[in-house]
Amino acid sequence: MSLKQSALPQRRPRINARKLQGYQMFLLIFPFMLLVFLFSYYPLHGWIYAFYDYRPPFKLTDCEFVGFEWFISMFSNASKRKQIWEVLCNTFVMSGLGILTSWLPMAFAILLSEIKNQPFKKAVQTLTTLPNFISWVLVYSLAFSLFSSSGMVNNLCIRLGLYDSPVLYLQMEDNVWLTMWLWGTWKGTGWSAIMYIAAITGIDQELYEAAYVDGAGRFRVMWHITVPGLLPTYFVLLLMNVANFLNNGVDQYYVFQNAFNKSKIQVLDLFVYNLGLGSGSYSLATAISIMKSIVSLTLLFTVNGLSKVLRGESII
Amino acid sequence: MTRKLAKLLACLVALTMLVGLAACTPSASPSTSATGGETSSTDDSQGGETSSTDSSNQELYQIEMFNTYANYMGIQGGWFGKIIKDRFNIELNIIAPQVAGTGDALYQTRSAAGNLGDIIVQPKSRMADCFTAGLLMDMSPYLDDCPNLQALEVAYTAAADVISGGEGVYAIPGRVSNLPLDEPAGRGINPEQGVFLRWDWYYELGAPEIADMDGLLDVLAQMQEAHPTNENGDKVYALSAFKDWDGGSVRAAREMLFLYGQAGVQGWYSSNYDGSEVINYADDGGLYYQMLQWWNKAYRMGLVDPDSSTQNWDMIASKANDGRICFSWWTFLGANIHGGTYDPETSNPGYALVPIQNSVISNVGYNQYGLEGNAFAMGSSAKYPERIMEFLDYYASPEGLLETNSQIEGVTYEMIDGRPVLTEFALSTDPNKEAPEEMGGGLWSDGACQINYPLVHADDINPILGEPTNSSLWSSTLESGVNTFTEQWAEVYGTDSPLDYLETHDMIQVVPGTDYTTPSDPSDIQTMRAQLNELFTATGWQMIYAESDSEFETLWNDMKAQLPDFGFNEVDAYDKAIVDEIIAARQEVLGK
């Protein structure tokens, strides 16, 4: 009895302390949960617009409820299916190109780190990082002054007598995927390389010394020490890229789009923007972005399933 | 110690987030963004209705004007800004969707947010929606003090029937005129649309008679060949177009329909003046198709500015100002640039109407219900309605009309023997001329009124002058405005006035003005139309830039094949019903 009596009052404060700690931990994480809720879950209530026949300036309550009509109309005939397919194709190709060449920043970082002349190295790094901070609107105006009909390239070529009339580079449809990838790479490579440069400095210097002692040349060292050292970082970034497969963003394609390249440049996000804000079809645009979420979820579960089968563990 | 610190930190972070959140929630107080100063908020609570009005007059009031017609975005500055600030202590903040360049997005987001602006200038068809959504304020309680607005009663009563079911006055139509409805409402002595060529280069060729559109291309080709660059050495293209006013079809091609008696009525429908010939842009081999073909032919002849599909209004307007294009289809982009005071002896390039022999220009007539289907309204959240009405009344007054048309007595005109006469200052074509010091200085052109859409038509008689507000119709201008250019034109065509020439040669048809207001699209039609519009415009531009006849044909056929899938038949049926109503209204006016 006496044991029990003495044990109880001892235990109580311990439980309270744990609870208290729990509250503290909760308080710590609460702001972030709130942020996640605000920015990731709260906007989902906007999905309701996809089920109404919404038209500004009317309130949603004054609009007709139409159920799944917009979802059905999206695939209702060949031309619409073709359009959606075209848009998905653009999205997949442009994201795919990005993922296929996602090793470029790593290669760039490795090569950059091999430069021994510090001032030159710094200059290169600064110059390649800078484009990341230029907004797409300014990039477009740069592209316009270079490649428009009265731009520098056309002026130069005409003066040199290479051709008579200006070539409309910005209206070309055939190589949009490539040029978009080139602009994106020009803008992003230097910035993405920063992560790898940081990772390179984290590789144990003794490994390099040991390799040199063993008689490895510069390229062998790069291949057998730097690259394996960077691979974990690379895979983390790759996974994050895959997760963003459908999110190509709007701004780059928005500024470069015109009547001539639209069928090749319109990615999902831009398509939704053009439909919704561009032409006021908010309900249809919402329906399409819901479809996008569904495709994303499917992709995620597919990758997750693959991971389960191949590695025996799941991502989520 | 560290745990305490962490505790403190956690609490602090949580607190700041909460505060941040609270700041994000909308406050209950009325929006203050529309008002410049908040100094008199205490005054408002004192005294009765009148005293608060008085105190509100002392406060600088920034009026937000949502204006679908303006080509300028921002605060109205310069000499006109000074006039309204001195008189009403107001500032005009113009919000221009046309400048913002995002289509209807600005209208949709602002209207969905419940406040379009304090003054709203937009199509009447939208006003009905805005009325239903409670975005407009009834102006009728304030009209008693607005004699100039009362003069527009016929127009706003008819508009009220459509917009608010006859209740109150929620919108006042613009460009209202009391002139005869069978007279063409042009821009002074010129029709609204026509073929305007760079006159000096055309005259240089011996002003050859142009039989048809192909003949026009030949002349344009000769002009471009003779003048590959302008006076400043910039490349000249015979034809140039722009994309931002496209709407449902390529505007450059659509505007050519006016040359053959056709004018767009609804959707892709176009009609002649009495509705006896109704055509659709989707007609195979139809007029719209032919005009695309014409542009394509010009493109393949090397006459079309390659920037056409990408440039905006500002860019084409500056090209016209610099004489870098040979052809324009609007008076305001042609004959009326440089204030319509072109003289070949100065270095200014100018454009003049050149009649195409087989063309019959379609031109709207004066309309007592207003022209172009737009109207002025007051936003339901306007802070000082009576001050806004005071301004609108001024805007419709004879005095306001003169000032908004850049006519200031003693500066741009003088009354001589009871007639207005333009001064040297007004006639000067120097683009850098400055406003007089007492008016606040600055560039004269920059300081002009930027609203760009009047309540009363400028061709109507202005009681202050005893003549129209529009200076190109003044008797003094018509008599003494003879310079080398008008002499040359008269020598070729045997008259001073292009409108006279067209009327005497039966080359103009007047579309009668009616009080018909197009309803706004229901949402499903709007969605289908949006996608179809894009298809029409994108294909149209691609056709203009096609390199071969087969490519041109393929593009057209591909488009035609896709049309039904995007709901063309549904939209077409909807449009057809409206077209029938419009034609019925026209025939009623024509007395048929």
Side-chain angles (χ1 to χ4, degrees), chain B residues 53-66:
Chain B
T53 318
D54 289 342
S55 69
S56 68
N57 263 329
Q58 289 153 17
E59 179 196 346
L60 177 65
Y61 181 23
Q62 195 186 81
I63 296 177
E64 249 180 45
M65 177 188 258
F66 180 83

Side-chain angles (χ1 to χ4, degrees), chain A residues 20-21 24 27-28 30-32 34-35 38 53-59 69-70 76-80 82-83 140 144 148-150 166 168 171 173 254 258-262 266 271 273-282 284, chain B residues 3 6-7 9-11 13-14 17-18 21 101-105 107-109 111-112 128-130 132-133 135 237 299 305-307 309-310 315 520-524 526-527 530-531 534 537-538 541-542 545 561-562 564-566:
Chain A
L20 198 71
Q21 203 192 4
Q24 282 173 356
L27 260 186
L28 267 176
F30 178 70
F32 300 100
L34 209 63
L35 283 182
L38 267 182
D53 198 355
Y54 175 68
R55 183 164 64 103
F58 300 108
K59 291 189 182 69
E69 198 181 286
W70 294 117
S76 57
N77 58 51
S79 294
K80 286 186 182 175
K82 190 179 152 237
Q83 193 179 35
Y140 179 71
F144 191 81
S148 72
S149 68
S150 48
L168 304 173
Q171 297 186 8
E173 189 189 27
Y254 178 74
N258 56 50
F260 301 87
N261 61 16
K262 214 164 205 167
Q266 208 160 230
F271 184 55
Y273 176 88
N274 282 342
L275 266 182
L277 281 169
S279 49
S281 315
Y282 292 96
L284 180 59
Chain B
R3 272 186 62 184
K7 230 192 272 182
L9 219 80
C11 289
V13 169
M17 298 244 164
L18 275 175
L21 274 176
T102 45
D104 289 340
Y107 164 75
Q108 281 149 356
T109 44
S111 66
D129 284 354
C130 290
T132 318
L135 296 175
Y237 283 100
Y299 169 71
D305 181 356
D307 292 337
S309 65
T310 43
M315 289 160 89
S520 64
D521 288 345
S523 155
D524 54 337
Q526 185 189 334
T527 301
Q531 287 188 294
E534 207 179 290
T537 15
W541 279 112
Q542 287 170 2
Y545 282 77
Q562 286 180 59
D565 283 352
F566 286 103

